[in-house]
Amino acid sequence: MKTATHELNFPGITVYTNLSTERLVELSLERGEGVLASNGALCCDTGERTGRSPKDKFVEDTPAIHNAIDWGKVNQPISPENFSKIEALATEYMNTKNELFRFNGYAGADDRYRLNVSVVTEEAWQSLFAATMFIPSGITEGFDPNWTIIDACNLKIEDWESLGLNSDMCIIQSMEQKKVIICGTRYAGEIKKSIFYAMNFDMTAVNVFPMHCSANVDKEDETNVALFFGLSGTGKTTLSADPNRPLIGDDEHGWSDDGVFNFEGGCYAKCIELSKEGEPQIWDAIKFGAVLENVVLEKDTLIPDYDDGSNTENTRVAYPVSYIPDAKIPSVCGHPKNVIFLTADAFGVLPPVSKLTSEQAMYYFINGYTSKLAGTEAGVTEPQPFFSPCYGGPFLPRPPMEYANWLAKRVKDQDANVWLLNTGWTGGGYGTGSRFSLAWTRAFVTAILDGSLSDSEFAAHDIFGLQIPTTAPNVPSEVLDPCQTWDDKEAYVTTALALADKFRANDKNYAMDEAVRSAGPNCS
């Protein structure tokens, strides 16, 4: 892999490299960047931006990479001239600091494919975040990065319009120079996702399928690997945290000819309405060394109030994978037997679980229907139905069909089962119905992974053609057919047809085989 060309030269400034967790927490507290919660986690406020800022993400448009990028609303171009000007502003700003923080580590648990990553931040807690999310190297001198991130999180760009930006903050990324410059947002998720974006570009060149998914493996059977695809808030972290199945990773993976490996060294879980009873592994992982973002602490006791969304619905915690008991370290495993697509259907019309044919798997993957959940992006305050190709549209630099073809190849080669699991609404859409019970969703996952759900009889949905089981262990049969959960059956059909129309309008964006397109819903 090409090494980064960014010169990490900050003359006269103390640059702390790969500090210990203890020292980074100590410095964060001294600098007033966070508060130590009662459970030992460092709690930080990210200010105005409490989620990703996709409208402020840009990719340097150079001749070398122009034809490889799927330009549009997700991949917005910025000229090399403006990229250089913003980089110069960020470097000049960072050179005004008395001290900076550098993390040197890896993206990719399989050392045959890993990338060297350097993250330079102006705040200590963000260096701790990087050390939590990536794989530590322990190297302080002579580290040659493949990718470099400069995070000037408090720098607001004054003359932003003349630089081709949409606001006074930005995340700009150069696929050719292997650089990321972050300005004006303290939301640490931008650090994590910029490297995922890099992996989505670089990994296909080395025959690895990059995936926005979580993964775990059976404790007694290492050949029983499962993948969970989905956008933030659909359940990737929650459902992969299973005491009977060691965690491989909760968000980003590669699928090589040899199997699956985690891109990261940590987990980044949503905290809103977190409970010890519902998600005990995540609850117990929030301790010293973990980083809480925008979680409200009780004033006198500093006990986290996970039910309080007054700062944002997108409250988060970052912690090392090793904080999950029995997590698989290194995070490398074999090929998956089951692939699960997670969708939070805000219309409330998709079945809670269904089995997909190979053509349906391709169709529903490329469409990537789900809902943006509150707080995951700036300006999103309630669930919004939308389509995100490959369940990771915001992070795909290349055309989505390239990733869909990778999925089809890997699933076919390994004869894996593919399922669609709705973690969204039942009995009506958002505002009328209710979200599926987590206990039921976990029961579906258990039945998928132990093979018992495959033994059920299945019936095709009239509109979507999805194969719905007629029975499922530990789940009432009446919730399996979504139409039966609605009081007004005619309203259900009308709403389901409306969603089917949205699928058909969206699938026109992609050149797919007729057999795949025919696997979509019936709008008549």
Side-chain angles (χ1 to χ4, degrees):
M1 291 290 179
K2 179 182 176 182
T3 57
T5 58
H6 191 96
E7 294 292 333
L8 297 178
N9 183 25
F10 301 100
I13 298 174
T14 300
V15 180
Y16 296 108
T17 303
N18 285 0
L19 291 180
S20 68
T21 296
E22 291 77 12
R23 184 61 178 141
L24 285 171
V25 171
E26 181 181 19
L27 285 169
S28 299
L29 297 174
E30 288 179 2
R31 292 159 56 92
E33 297 170 358
V35 176
L36 208 61
S38 61
N39 55 17
L42 181 68
C43 187
C44 301
D45 187 334
T46 67
E48 175 188 358
R49 301 283 178 158
T50 58
R52 290 182 297 102
S53 301
K55 294 180 181 179
D56 297 300
K57 171 71 185 286
F58 296 86
V59 179
E60 183 189 24
D61 187 3
T62 65
I65 60 93
H66 178 82
N67 291 333
I69 302 297
D70 184 36
W71 301 106
K73 291 182 179 180
V74 169
N75 300 308
Q76 302 177 97
I78 190 168
S79 70
E81 294 76 17
N82 284 339
F83 186 98
S84 296
K85 289 178 182 178
I86 295 169
E87 180 185 2
L89 287 173
T91 302
E92 180 182 5
Y93 171 82
M94 297 292 266
N95 274 310
T96 65
K97 303 299 174 182
N98 294 323
E99 54 190 14
L100 297 172
F101 304 89
R102 179 179 179 180
F103 167 79
N104 292 332
Y106 307 116
D110 189 329
D111 57 14
R112 293 171 296 179
Y113 305 109
R114 67 175 30 159
L115 300 180
N116 292 0
V117 177
S118 275
V119 185
V120 179
T121 63
E122 61 171 301
E123 297 194 349
W125 79 271
Q126 292 198 334
S127 193
L128 176 60
F129 177 89
T132 299
M133 293 312 307
F134 301 123
I135 302 169
S137 69
I139 301 173
T140 57
E141 300 291 340
F143 185 81
D144 293 322
N146 301 112
W147 277 89
T148 299
I149 299 175
I150 303 296
D151 192 336
C153 65
N154 292 308
L155 170 63
K156 298 293 185 180
I157 307 295
E158 293 183 0
D159 195 17
W160 54 270
E161 289 179 297
S162 69
L163 295 171
L165 303 178
N166 292 326
S167 74
D168 61 0
M169 62 83 57
C170 64
I171 306 97
I172 59 173
Q173 189 153 358
S174 173
M175 313 312 288
E176 184 175 358
Q177 300 181 66
K178 308 299 183 187
K179 301 176 185 176
V180 180
I181 312 297
I182 299 173
C183 301
T185 174
R186 299 180 72 242
Y187 180 66
E190 301 288 10
I191 296 172
K192 161 191 161 72
K193 288 304 185 185
S194 65
I195 293 301
F196 181 43
Y197 189 89
M199 297 292 272
N200 278 327
F201 188 79
D202 289 347
M203 286 295 99
T204 57
V206 292
N207 204 36
V208 172
F209 169 34
M211 307 175 293
H212 190 212
C213 69
S214 60
N216 64 20
V217 59
D218 188 86
K219 187 176 291 186
E220 304 299 330
D221 180 6
E222 289 196 353
T223 68
N224 188 346
V225 176
L227 302 182
F228 302 82
F229 282 86
L231 287 185
S232 296
T234 54
K236 292 193 311 301
T237 300
T238 298
L239 296 175
S240 57
D242 184 330
N244 298 312
R245 297 180 61 87
L247 180 70
I248 300 162
D250 82 321
D251 195 40
E252 303 169 6
H253 292 81
W255 190 347
S256 74
D257 287 336
D258 299 308
V260 171
F261 64 96
N262 194 355
F263 286 165
E264 301 181 301
C267 302
Y268 194 42
K270 290 194 76 169
C271 292
I272 197 68
E273 297 181 352
L274 177 70
S275 69
K276 186 175 180 62
E277 295 73 26
E279 300 172 84
Q281 288 191 316
I282 296 173
W283 180 279
D284 291 340
I286 306 178
K287 56 187 178 181
F288 185 81
V291 180
L292 289 167
E293 283 185 330
N294 302 311
V295 172
V296 175
L297 303 181
E298 294 182 4
K299 185 175 180 180
D300 297 325
T301 64
L302 300 183
I303 295 173
D305 184 353
Y306 298 120
D307 293 327
D308 190 334
S310 57
N311 287 337
T312 176
E313 291 289 314
N314 192 39
T315 53
R316 291 274 180 170
V317 61
Y319 52 85
V321 172
S322 60
Y323 279 20
I324 297 293
D326 299 321
K328 198 171 188 309
I329 308 291
S331 304
V332 179
C333 63
H335 297 287
K337 285 186 174 180
N338 289 282
V339 175
I340 300 172
F341 299 158
L342 302 173
T343 179
D345 174 27
F347 280 98
V349 297
L350 291 181
V353 65
S354 51
K355 191 173 185 180
L356 307 183
T357 65
S358 58
E359 291 80 13
Q360 286 174 330
M362 187 80 164
Y363 183 87
Y364 283 94
F365 185 68
I366 190 60
N367 279 280
Y369 169 68
T370 186
S371 301
K372 290 180 182 177
L373 298 184
T376 54
E377 291 183 10
V380 179
T381 58
E382 62 181 43
Q384 299 177 0
F386 87 124
F387 295 88
S388 181
C390 310
Y391 296 100
F395 320 117
L396 304 182
R398 300 184 186 275
M401 281 304 301
E402 290 190 24
Y403 304 98
N405 287 330
W406 270 107
L407 174 85
K409 180 180 186 306
R410 292 291 190 227
V411 166
K412 181 180 179 180
D413 288 347
Q414 301 305 321
D415 194 26
N417 295 315
V418 184
W419 306 81
L420 183 65
L421 189 65
N422 180 14
T423 64
W425 280 258
T426 182
Y430 172 77
T432 302
S434 58
R435 287 205 73 169
F436 278 110
S437 157
L438 179 58
W440 290 349
T441 299
R442 287 194 186 280
F444 288 132
V445 171
T446 298
I448 288 171
L449 301 185
D450 69 16
S452 60
L453 196 59
S454 291
D455 295 332
S456 174
E457 293 184 1
F458 290 82
H461 190 278
D462 290 340
I463 295 171
F464 290 94
L466 299 167
Q467 295 296 311
I468 306 171
T470 56
T471 60
N474 301 311
V475 179
S477 296
E478 58 267 23
V479 306
L480 299 177
D481 181 349
C483 183
Q484 301 309 311
T485 68
W486 284 53
D487 293 332
D488 187 337
K489 303 300 188 287
E490 291 185 4
Y492 171 83
V493 172
T494 300
T495 306
L497 287 172
L499 179 57
D501 286 337
K502 290 182 181 294
F503 267 96
R504 286 309 185 186
N506 187 70
D507 74 34
K508 293 178 182 178
N509 295 317
Y510 307 105
M512 58 184 72
D513 292 343
E514 188 55 37
V516 173
R517 199 178 303 277
S518 297
N522 177 11
C523 298
S524 59

